[in-house]
């Protein structure tokens, strides 16, 4: 969402709709705000259905405390005002009650963002604020005091979460990423002990450098492929196979080129014009491809039969990435036929270790990899095939997690696997 030209009313409504749509708050729960340069605060109203919020519902509280609008401001306005007073670097706040973060708040624990490097980088410092009655000055003081220590995300005991950012988009992405981490860790707890990365691994965030490609008008085939990438990327977001801050989709264009999603762009908002054309280690001036571009280039160079690649972090599959539990595909025919066997490899960085990750890719035997504390790589001849593998992987992971309370897992017998290999031509 490009908020540069958006009025605060429009931005607040669009963000709340997104939070509500993905069940990260309830009809009556949560509030958002944006601070103007003059100190005025735009905030969502009290007692208005979050699923039907309109721009006319948004309130502006002036620096002198007077409110402009048809509703009273959120009952939790006091903590927004106090956070802004103590943290002048923050320009927007998200408060909501997403399920996994509420679960952590009930247990008075913090999700460990070291489970993935991008989570740790996006979320910043996470802290816990003591309980106080919602809407009270005491709650505002508790939250603001915790932000004042340098926290960017604050869980509220027995309540929810408050996240600050330099913009509403920044606060939302931090909020969504922290909820993804919490969701993944809750699922991982069903499998064993979640592993985290050490300081050395968290400190490395290499961004590959790309030389400049000369300008070139896109062909109709390129235009169609750009649209296809966007369609599958948005679908993956809608299916919750990735979040706004992580994941890369690419497709081979031919002549040693491929198209890939851009770096540091909201995955739901990527447009055809934002897709980046890459040739070798070159891309058009003014564009930045995903950090995964070097890995994708390596895979395409070594495997001419691969036409599409996806990096993603779906929550159920990510639970297997952060634990020692194996992801068994010998459970239902679709899982084995579509995924084959899914190996899990030790943590490798997608930039520095691109060649070592590519060594593990086999289009016929291992078209999907799990990388410890990193995520999933799925390849296919087409985007549809790669996307189907990602979707089946997440469905299989969810089924395996749901099966655990029911009893021991029963895999298909070897005779059934032999039959599937014969019928579907699996090596």
């Amino acid at each position: 969402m490009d908020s540069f030209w958006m009025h605060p009313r429009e931005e607040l409504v669009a963000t709340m709709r997104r939070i509500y749509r993905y069940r990260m708050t309830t009809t009556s729960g949560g509030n958002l705000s944006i601070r103007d340069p003059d100190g005025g605060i735009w905030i969502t109203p009290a007692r208005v259905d979050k699923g039907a919020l309109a721009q006319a519902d948004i309130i502006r509280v002036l620096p002198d405390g007077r409110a402009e609008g048809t509703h009273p401001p959120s009952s939790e306005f006091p903590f927004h005002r106090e956070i802004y007073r103590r943290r002048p670097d923050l320009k927007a706040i998200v408060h909501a009650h997403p399920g996994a973060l509420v679960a952590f708040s009930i247990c008075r624990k913090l999700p460990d963002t070291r489970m993935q490097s991008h989570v740790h980088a996006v979320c910043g410092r996470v802290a816990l604020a003591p309980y106080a009655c919602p809407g009270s000055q005491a709650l505002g003081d508790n939250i603001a005091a915790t932000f004042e220590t340098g926290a960017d995300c604050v869980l509220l005991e027995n309540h929810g979460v408050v996240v600050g950012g330099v913009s509403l988009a920044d606060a939302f992405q931090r909020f969504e990423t922290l909820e993804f981490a919490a969701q993944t860790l809750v699922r991982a707890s069903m499998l064993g002990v979640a592993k985290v990365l050490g300081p050395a691994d968290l400190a490395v965030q290499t961004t590959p450098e790309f030389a400049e490609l000369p300008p070139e008008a896109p062909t109709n085939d390129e235009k169609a492929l750009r649209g296809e990438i966007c369609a599958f990327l948005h679908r993956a977001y809608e299916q919750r196979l990735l979040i706004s801050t992580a994941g890369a989709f690419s497709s081979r264009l031919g002549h040693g080129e491929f198209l890939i999603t851009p770096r540091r762009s909201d995955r739901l908002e990527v447009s055809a014009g934002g897709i980046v054309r890459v040739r070798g280690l070159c891309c058009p001036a003014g564009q930045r491809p995903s950090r995964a571009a070097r890995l994708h280039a390596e895979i395409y160079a070594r495997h001419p039969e691969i036409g599409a690649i996806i990096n993603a972090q779906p929550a159920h599959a990510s639970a297997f990435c952060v634990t020692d539990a194996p992801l068994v595909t010998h459970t239902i025919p679709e899982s084995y036929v579509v995924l084959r066997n899914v190996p899990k490899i030790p943590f490798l960085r997608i930039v520095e270790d691109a060649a070592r990750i590519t060594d593990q890719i086999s289009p016929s035997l291992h078209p999907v990899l799990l990388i410890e504390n990193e995520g999933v790589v799925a390849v296919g001849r087409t985007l549809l095939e790669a996307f189907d593998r990602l979707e089946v992987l997440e469905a299989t992971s969810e089924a395996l997690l749901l099966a655990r309370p029911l009893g021991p897992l029963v895999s298909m017998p070897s005779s059934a696997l032999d039959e599937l290999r014969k019928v579907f031509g699996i090596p």
Side-chain angles (χ1 to χ4, degrees):
M1 181 170 61
D2 183 2
S3 61
F4 184 78
W5 297 107
M6 294 177 74
H7 191 280
R9 289 191 182 97
E10 183 182 3
E11 193 177 358
L12 287 166
V13 169
T15 303
M16 183 59 83
R17 285 177 179 169
R18 191 164 171 182
I19 290 171
Y20 183 81
R21 181 178 184 181
Y22 295 109
R23 301 185 64 236
M24 292 190 286
T25 201
T26 59
T27 297
S28 59
N31 33 78
L32 314 175
S33 71
I34 296 173
R35 182 173 59 172
D36 269 343
D38 68 359
I41 297 172
W42 300 88
I43 191 164
T44 49
R47 300 183 297 278
V48 172
D49 179 1
K50 301 302 188 296
L53 192 67
Q55 291 187 40
D57 297 321
I58 302 301
I59 310 303
R60 184 176 188 234
V61 181
L62 302 174
D64 63 10
R66 289 179 296 127
E68 296 179 341
T70 57
H71 307 282
S74 168
S75 62
E76 293 181 310
F77 172 74
F79 77 63
H80 289 252
R81 179 181 56 203
E82 190 63 18
I83 291 169
Y84 289 134
R85 188 182 72 81
R86 301 199 197 190
R87 285 285 300 273
D89 58 307
L90 299 179
K91 309 301 181 186
I93 291 169
V94 171
H95 167 52
H97 309 139
L101 288 174
V102 169
F104 272 88
S105 81
I106 292 169
C107 296
R108 301 190 175 186
K109 294 181 178 180
L110 294 175
D112 195 333
T113 62
R114 296 174 299 168
M115 43 86 75
Q116 286 186 356
S117 59
H118 92 272
V119 170
H120 187 73
V122 169
C123 293
R125 183 164 168 263
V126 184
L128 191 66
Y131 176 82
C133 181
S136 67
Q137 185 61 47
L139 179 63
D141 291 340
N142 290 348
I143 298 171
T146 309
F147 270 100
E148 197 171 21
T149 65
D152 300 301
C153 304
V154 175
L155 263 69
L156 318 181
E157 291 180 347
N158 301 86
H159 189 157
V161 66
V162 180
V163 179
V166 297
S167 66
L168 188 57
D170 179 52
F172 169 78
Q173 290 189 343
R174 187 170 278 161
F175 160 75
E176 185 186 42
T177 302
L178 187 63
E179 171 65 4
F180 157 76
Q183 291 276 359
T184 298
L185 291 169
V186 168
R187 290 166 171 81
S189 69
M190 301 170 65
L191 300 172
V193 177
K195 295 183 286 187
V196 297
L197 297 171
D201 291 323
L202 292 170
V204 178
Q205 286 286 328
T206 303
T207 301
E209 296 295 327
F210 286 80
E212 187 175 321
L213 272 180
E216 185 176 324
T219 64
N220 287 334
D221 286 343
E222 179 179 338
K223 291 177 181 178
L225 190 55
R226 285 171 176 267
E228 188 180 8
I229 291 172
C230 289
F232 276 112
L233 180 68
H234 299 163
R235 187 166 157 189
Y237 186 89
E238 299 281 351
Q239 295 280 82
R240 310 312 282 155
L241 300 173
L242 48 76
I243 56 175
S244 59
T245 57
F249 279 48
S250 76
S251 188
R252 189 189 293 272
L253 188 58
H255 310 294
E257 296 183 326
F258 62 93
L259 298 175
I260 191 166
T261 45
R263 182 170 180 256
R264 291 194 177 277
S265 292
D266 184 336
R267 274 54 175 181
L268 187 60
E269 302 294 333
V270 172
S271 64
I275 300 297
V276 183
R277 180 167 55 92
V278 175
R279 181 192 303 155
L281 289 178
C282 301
C283 71
Q287 290 192 302
R288 297 190 305 167
S290 164
R291 289 180 66 248
R294 180 170 289 178
L295 170 62
H296 291 214
E298 184 84 23
I299 294 172
Y300 286 131
R302 280 209 237 164
H303 297 285
E305 68 273 42
I306 290 177
I309 305 167
I310 297 173
N311 286 84
Q313 291 86 10
H316 293 91
S318 292
F320 287 88
C321 291
V322 301
T323 61
D324 288 327
L327 199 156
V328 181
T329 59
H330 303 170
T331 47
I332 60 173
E334 181 188 35
S335 297
Y336 184 67
V337 170
V338 173
L339 305 175
R340 311 295 199 259
N341 293 308
V342 179
K344 188 191 312 185
I345 62 176
F347 173 72
L348 294 172
R349 300 185 183 93
I350 60 173
V351 178
E352 299 89 337
D353 301 318
R356 294 173 62 191
I357 295 172
T358 303
D359 289 341
Q360 305 298 320
I361 293 282
S362 169
S364 58
L365 297 177
H366 306 306
V368 178
L369 291 180
L370 300 184
I371 305 174
E372 286 185 357
N373 297 97
E374 175 56 43
V376 176
V377 181
V379 302
R381 291 163 296 182
T382 64
L383 267 171
L384 176 61
E385 186 173 63
F387 179 83
D388 183 44
R389 283 175 171 151
L390 177 65
E391 200 171 41
V392 171
L393 175 73
E394 180 66 349
T396 302
S397 302
E398 182 178 16
L400 291 171
L401 284 162
L402 291 172
R404 293 184 74 85
L406 301 179
L409 178 70
V410 180
S411 296
M412 294 181 293
S414 57
S415 58
L417 298 176
D418 290 340
E419 181 183 35
L420 290 172
R421 283 191 284 266
K422 180 178 180 182
V423 171
F424 291 93
I426 300 172

